[in-house]
Amino acid sequence: MRLYTGDTGTESVCRGNRDSSRPTQMVSLICTLQDHRDDVNWCAFSPTLLATCSADKTVRIYNTQDFSEVPYSPLSGHGYGVHCCCFSACGQYLASCSTDGSTVVWSTDTGEIEAVLEHPGRNPVRVCAFSPDSSHLVSGASDGTLGLWDFRTKTLHRTGAVNDTTMVACSFTPCGQMFVTGSTYGDLRLWDLDMNQLHAEKNTHDLGVTCCCFGPKILSGSGTVQFRLASCGQDSTLKIWTVSRSNTGSCKMQLLHTLTGQSAPVLSCAFSADGQLLVSGSVDKTVTVYDASQGTLLYILNQHERYVTACAFSPSTPLFATGSMDKTVNIWRVEDGHSGHEGKSLPVETATFSCEGRKLLCHSRLLVSDWSEEDVGAWLCEEGLQVLVENFKANNIDGAELISLTKETLASELNIESVGLRSKVLRKVEELKAGCVCTGVPDEYLCPITRELMKDPVIAADGYSYEREAIESWIATKNRSSPMTNLPLQTTLLTPNRTLKMAIGRWRTSQ
């Protein structure tokens, strides 16, 4: 393995074992994005942008030339965690869906909200996907319902449902006339644009499907049209299928490969733009890269520190992104091995990488109000606001002062004349106030709905603990369903969890 410095950061290069008759390729880690405050749930590329979404309720947008964040990022229109995001074909629009029961459509030119599509029944929306021509958008929810939207008019076109399951995966065929869904029941179902179910493949993944995606090519022959489909699941496998539709309209699925390169549930998968590579992310913290045609394992990448929940290939450049519960997004480049970066060939099992992130991690303390003036200075540097460090220090701005800043105090007391700079400071402060800034908060201390440290934890009828205000609001608007199980709550009675409240208090005091 040879380390070298590339255009966007420190890179590590490694070659896995490949068939010597095929062109040599290498995978390079070129950049690590560390802006999200909670689990990264999804990644999506347009020809020029990368979008990532998180349990921290935000969507972040980056330029793919240098992976700098666009001026209007982050997008903060959701009230709860964001599960999935996807670009329209031209990249002009971005859709994101959330536990709040909506799919929000954003303009990628301005970052403004173009439409809010409320899912039927307002149940948590787990997945959304555009058709290749962007004429339709499908959304799937935790109660098993599907909404097919006419994207041009932003109106609901058709609805469908699979009972007693949660929709977690969806992908359109390259022709855009059909789409497949995957659920926690473990089945894959093929639908047409009138929501007719064309085929159901039962028990494809034991304990549930987690992700699915079609390859980019349409294969024709012998009176049928064929597509490649990848699916992954809780059974720790990644599978490649042939989906066929005959001239008579009948459909079938045939399993081509079962890939077992990962040792724990596989949470995400994606084809490259040419359909030659297939990447997947797993609970075992690894990213695997396969030859999609042969089903052979090329690389195992071990850069993430927690579950790898998301992966996506760029449609225009040889890049792919992986997102994780470690709150980071890694950007990888696939390149021709003859480009001059030669490295020792390593077995795929030992192909590991290390690199410096694009940004330093945010300060490690949880409570911003406890920050010292030095902590505030360090935070300013991490956020690219070094020009303000001396000014803030001269005015004795500590954590408590930082979170109480307003436009007026920035202008009149700190004498920051630039409107843009004042707005940037306030936006960064709002991000601090909106979520935990600590990487070590015990997960059981975070409300499952808001993903924020609980102040008044209560136990609901489903046995889970929530922040009182959050679960009361949920019950008032979600037809008394459990945020964790989606099953009806037998009672709306909430019991104070005094033991948990005391534990959180002791933990805060220790920080």
Side-chain angles (χ1 to χ4, degrees):
M1 184 163 58
R2 180 184 302 166
L3 300 178
Y4 69 97
T5 301
D7 295 335
T8 57
T10 303
E11 302 188 16
S12 302
V13 179
C14 176
R15 263 194 326 221
N17 291 335
R18 291 186 60 114
D19 182 344
S20 59
S21 65
R22 296 174 61 85
T24 301
Q25 288 182 317
M26 295 185 293
V27 176
S28 311
L29 177 59
I30 64 170
C31 189
T32 298
L33 310 176
Q34 300 174 329
D35 298 301
H36 282 296
R37 312 293 188 186
D38 210 327
D39 303 350
V40 177
N41 291 328
W42 206 273
C43 301
F45 276 99
S46 77
T48 59
L49 299 172
L50 168 68
T52 63
C53 63
S54 168
D56 66 10
K57 312 177 196 175
T58 69
V59 181
R60 291 184 177 270
I61 314 293
Y62 303 88
N63 290 304
T64 53
Q65 286 187 336
D66 59 1
F67 291 98
S68 60
E69 201 164 3
V70 300
Y72 57 75
S73 179
L75 306 177
S76 304
H78 287 291
Y80 299 100
V82 187
H83 293 291
C84 179
C85 58
C86 57
F87 283 101
S88 60
C90 63
Q92 184 179 357
Y93 299 102
L94 175 74
S96 60
C97 59
S98 166
T99 302
D100 63 18
S102 71
T103 301
V104 176
V105 179
W106 312 83
S107 165
T108 57
D109 292 328
T110 64
E112 297 294 324
I113 293 177
E114 295 285 327
V116 178
L117 312 178
E118 295 187 356
H119 195 84
R122 291 301 302 275
N123 284 281
V125 185
R126 295 293 304 274
V127 66
C128 58
F130 274 106
S131 62
D133 63 358
S134 302
S135 61
H136 291 91
L137 175 71
V138 67
S139 58
S142 61
D143 63 346
T145 59
L146 290 167
L148 183 64
W149 304 84
D150 183 319
F151 187 68
R152 295 186 179 93
T153 61
K154 310 297 188 301
T155 57
L156 188 61
H157 175 62
R158 291 281 192 278
T159 60
V162 179
N163 295 329
D164 302 321
T165 191
T166 294
M167 288 294 177
V168 293
C170 183
S171 179
F172 274 91
T173 57
C175 66
Q177 298 304 304
M178 300 179 290
F179 62 93
V180 70
T181 59
S183 76
T184 53
Y185 183 76
D187 60 326
L188 291 168
R189 297 173 187 265
L190 190 66
W191 311 76
D192 65 16
L193 297 183
D194 290 322
M195 293 301 293
N196 297 310
Q197 191 176 133
L198 305 176
H199 180 78
E201 193 76 16
K202 302 292 184 65
N203 303 314
T204 58
H205 290 276
D206 190 26
L207 302 179
V209 175
T210 53
C211 187
C212 64
C213 62
F214 275 104
K217 295 183 179 180
I218 302 175
L219 309 173
S220 300
S222 303
T224 63
V225 177
Q226 293 185 342
F227 312 96
R228 290 288 185 269
L229 174 70
S231 66
C232 54
Q234 298 287 347
D235 58 1
S236 306
T237 66
L238 175 64
K239 296 182 178 181
I240 301 177
W241 309 79
T242 294
V243 178
S244 304
R245 188 173 190 181
S246 69
N247 292 336
T248 62
S250 63
C251 297
K252 67 176 183 178
M253 290 178 59
Q254 181 180 356
L255 180 63
L256 294 180
H257 303 290
T258 298
L259 311 177
T260 57
Q262 289 163 310
S263 60
V266 184
L267 303 180
S268 55
C269 59
F271 279 101
S272 60
D274 61 5
Q276 296 301 306
L277 298 177
L278 180 63
V279 66
S280 64
S282 170
V283 168
D284 68 9
K285 309 176 188 177
T286 68
V287 176
T288 54
V289 184
Y290 294 90
D291 181 310
S293 299
Q294 303 298 321
T296 53
L297 178 62
L298 304 178
Y299 308 98
I300 296 179
L301 315 176
N302 297 287
Q303 182 61 23
H304 285 292
E305 296 179 357
R306 294 191 67 193
Y307 301 172
V308 182
T309 51
C311 55
F313 270 96
S314 167
S316 57
T317 57
L319 299 173
F320 67 91
T322 56
S324 168
M325 289 177 66
D326 63 13
K327 308 176 188 177
T328 71
V329 177
N330 284 334
I331 310 300
W332 308 84
R333 178 186 291 129
V334 181
E335 52 195 337
D336 188 338
H338 299 295
S339 60
H341 304 299
E342 290 298 329
K344 182 179 179 181
S345 180
L346 297 177
V348 289
E349 290 83 359
T350 61
T352 59
F353 300 82
S354 62
C355 109
E356 296 177 3
R358 181 180 62 85
K359 293 174 60 175
L360 296 174
L361 282 171
C362 228
H363 205 276
S364 60
R365 294 192 184 188
L366 170 66
L367 300 177
V368 182
S369 58
D370 290 339
W371 283 10
S372 67
E373 295 173 21
E374 290 73 21
D375 294 333
V376 172
W379 173 77
L380 289 170
C381 291
E382 291 166 7
E383 298 295 345
L385 298 168
Q386 296 92 330
V387 67
L388 298 178
V389 171
E390 292 302 322
N391 191 358
F392 273 51
K393 186 175 181 180
N395 285 274
N396 305 114
I397 304 297
D398 59 12
E401 294 288 341
L402 178 68
I403 60 177
S404 63
L405 289 175
T406 64
K407 288 184 179 180
E408 291 71 25
T409 55
L410 288 173
S412 61
E413 298 180 24
L414 296 180
N415 299 314
I416 300 175
E417 297 180 357
S418 169
V419 175
L421 193 55
R422 292 200 299 266
S423 298
K424 184 174 182 179
V425 171
L426 290 176
R427 177 161 58 88
K428 294 296 183 182
V429 170
E430 285 303 313
E431 290 177 27
L432 281 180
K433 292 159 64 176
C436 297
V437 297
C438 171
T439 59
V441 186
D443 194 66
E444 60 269 24
Y445 296 170
L446 300 177
C447 173
I449 298 175
T450 66
R451 298 300 297 172
E452 296 176 358
L453 189 69
M454 287 184 279
K455 299 177 181 178
D456 186 13
V458 293
I459 304 172
D462 59 2
Y464 291 92
S465 292
Y466 305 90
E467 178 64 35
R468 179 184 293 276
E469 183 178 353
I471 188 61
E472 287 178 346
S473 176
W474 179 278
I475 290 172
T477 59
K478 302 293 178 180
N479 299 320
R480 293 178 54 173
S481 63
S482 164
M484 299 298 287
T485 68
N486 200 46
L487 297 174
L489 294 172
Q490 298 303 312
T491 176
T492 58
L493 180 66
L494 302 174
T495 305
N497 192 336
R498 295 186 176 86
T499 302
L500 179 58
K501 186 173 184 178
M502 291 174 61
I504 294 173
R506 288 194 297 269
W507 181 83
R508 290 180 59 165
T509 302
S510 69
Q511 299 304 299

